[in-house]
């Protein structure tokens, strides 16, 4: 539509609205749907303007970082025979005292299960000339097994506490198959979904790691092959690991 203005009328409008182009806040929102004919006020330019700023675009928040462990693995193995791993597992094996000293079994003893000669903190029975050499060999083996436990925990997006990890390492020393292949970490992931405290879920996971996943039966002949006998042994070892943690 084209409007024709007389000169006096244009001057009046310029005096009444001195800075219309500069003062109007523009909006870039989509126009509203077409409605009925505009009212007379709308025809003459009485428009309700919005001065609310358009919200800034918020970037997508970053994905949460899963913290798998709360401590450096090297710190657990630092000190070789005097490391926390050696003292915790040795305490469970009966080769070390609660304070980290050495028992007679450290210097050699016969394994009650398979009757092999055990040596060192970890009851190593794969050939060593001294307890120190036995410890060095088993520490290297356990370090690699600890890495595997951490890898499995990462797959479950689990954050392992110090007690949970040390009990996994101790279980790997006692029964590698139970710790690494039959699901200590898997059972621990299940236990963390239940109303259990830390000690209960560790014991629950350690015990169930001796279940044969194919047959569904217990597979721990050296521990009696019953729930009660396996649970008792795992509770004993768990308590020994905890003593080492508390005295560290």
């Amino acid at each position: 539509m084209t409007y024709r203005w007389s000169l006096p009328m244009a001057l009046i409008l310029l005096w009444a609205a001195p800075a219309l182009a500069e003062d109007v806040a523009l909006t870039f929102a989509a126009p509203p749907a077409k409605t009925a004919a505009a009212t007379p006020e709308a025809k003459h330019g009485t428009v309700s303007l919005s001065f609310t700023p358009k919200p800034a675009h918020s970037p997508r928040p970053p994905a949460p970082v899963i913290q798998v462990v709360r401590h450096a693995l090297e710190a657990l193995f630092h000190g070789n025979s005097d490391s926390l791993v050696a003292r915790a597992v040795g305490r469970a094996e009966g080769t070390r005292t609660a304070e980290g000293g050495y028992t007679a079994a450290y210097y050699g003893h016969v394994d009650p299960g398979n009757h092999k000669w055990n040596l060192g903190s970890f009851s190593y029975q794969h050939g060593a000339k001294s307890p120190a050499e036995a410890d060095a060999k088993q520490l290297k083996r356990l370090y690699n097994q600890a890495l595997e436990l951490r890898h499995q925990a990462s797959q479950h997006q689990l954050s392992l506490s110090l007690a949970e990890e040390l009990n996994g390492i101790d279980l790997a020393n006692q029964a590698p198959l139970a710790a690494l292949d039959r699901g200590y970490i898997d059972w621990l992931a299940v236990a963390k979904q239940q109303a259990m405290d830390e000690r209960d879920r560790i014991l629950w996971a350690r015990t169930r790691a001796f279940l044969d996943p194919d047959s569904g039966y217990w597979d721990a002949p050296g521990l009696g092959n019953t729930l009660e006998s396996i649970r008792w042994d795992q509770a004993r070892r768990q308590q020994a690991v905890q003593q080492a943690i508390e005295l560290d």
Side-chain angles (χ1 to χ4, degrees), residues 171-195:
L171 184 60
N173 186 78
Q174 180 191 21
L177 184 65
L180 303 172
D181 297 334
R182 292 188 175 172
Y184 168 72
I185 295 295
D186 294 335
W187 288 114
L188 197 60
V190 174
K192 286 200 172 197
Q193 303 301 317
Q194 313 300 321

Side-chain angles (χ1 to χ4, degrees), residues 79-82 86 96 102 106-108 117-142 173:
N80 300 319
S81 292
D82 290 327
R96 306 292 291 268
Y102 301 94
Y106 171 83
Y107 300 97
W117 183 249
N118 291 343
L119 199 60
S121 300
F122 306 97
S123 299
Y124 188 76
Q125 54 184 230
H126 305 289
K129 297 179 181 179
S130 67
E133 182 184 346
D135 283 3
K137 288 184 175 182
Q138 186 64 0
L139 280 166
K140 183 181 295 186
R141 182 183 184 190
L142 286 177
N173 186 78

Side-chain angles (χ1 to χ4, degrees), residues 48-69:
S48 175
L49 299 176
S50 172
F51 293 89
T52 303
K54 188 175 181 180
H57 176 67
S58 300
R60 183 183 297 274
V65 177
I66 303 300
Q67 181 184 8
V68 177
V69 289

Side-chain angles (χ1 to χ4, degrees), residues 151-176:
H151 174 68
Q152 293 180 15
S154 178
Q155 291 181 320
H156 283 284
Q157 297 186 344
L158 288 185
S159 176
L160 295 177
S161 70
L162 178 60
E164 288 167 345
E165 183 162 35
L166 280 176
N167 273 274
I169 293 172
D170 175 60
L171 184 60
N173 186 78
Q174 180 191 21

Side-chain angles (χ1 to χ4, degrees), residues 25-240:
L26 300 179
T27 177
F28 294 91
K34 185 176 181 181
T35 58
T39 62
E41 292 79 8
K43 287 184 178 181
H44 290 285
T46 306
V47 181
S48 175
L49 299 176
S50 172
F51 293 89
T52 303
K54 188 175 181 180
H57 176 67
S58 300
R60 183 183 297 274
V65 177
I66 303 300
Q67 181 184 8
V68 177
V69 289
R70 305 180 189 138
H71 40 267
L73 191 59
E74 289 75 13
L76 304 185
F77 286 82
H78 179 71
N80 300 319
S81 292
D82 290 327
S83 65
L84 179 55
V85 166
R87 287 182 278 116
V89 177
R91 178 61 177 158
E93 287 289 335
T95 59
R96 306 292 291 268
T97 67
E99 295 76 18
Y102 301 94
T103 69
Y106 171 83
Y107 300 97
H109 65 278
V110 176
D111 189 288
N114 58 21
H115 307 293
K116 291 185 178 180
W117 183 249
N118 291 343
L119 199 60
S121 300
F122 306 97
S123 299
Y124 188 76
Q125 54 184 230
H126 305 289
K129 297 179 181 179
S130 67
E133 182 184 346
D135 283 3
K137 288 184 175 182
Q138 186 64 0
L139 280 166
K140 183 181 295 186
R141 182 183 184 190
L142 286 177
Y143 186 89
N144 291 329
Q145 291 173 331
L147 287 176
E148 174 60 24
L149 289 172
R150 287 195 172 197
H151 174 68
Q152 293 180 15
S154 178
Q155 291 181 320
H156 283 284
Q157 297 186 344
L158 288 185
S159 176
L160 295 177
S161 70
L162 178 60
E164 288 167 345
E165 183 162 35
L166 280 176
N167 273 274
I169 293 172
D170 175 60
L171 184 60
N173 186 78
Q174 180 191 21
L177 184 65
L180 303 172
D181 297 334
R182 292 188 175 172
Y184 168 72
I185 295 295
D186 294 335
W187 288 114
L188 197 60
V190 174
K192 286 200 172 197
Q193 303 301 317
Q194 313 300 321
M196 298 183 186
D197 62 23
E198 182 179 71
R199 292 194 180 192
D200 286 342
R201 66 173 172 257
I202 290 173
L203 178 57
W204 192 81
R206 287 192 65 141
T207 302
R208 275 153 184 77
F210 286 94
L211 279 171
D212 186 329
D214 297 322
S215 67
Y217 292 103
W218 298 109
D219 186 15
L223 301 180
N225 260 357
T226 68
L227 172 59
E228 293 75 15
S229 61
I230 295 171
R231 189 180 187 279
W232 180 89
D233 178 74
Q234 296 306 294
R236 177 191 64 78
R237 297 187 73 103
Q238 180 191 18
Q239 184 178 7

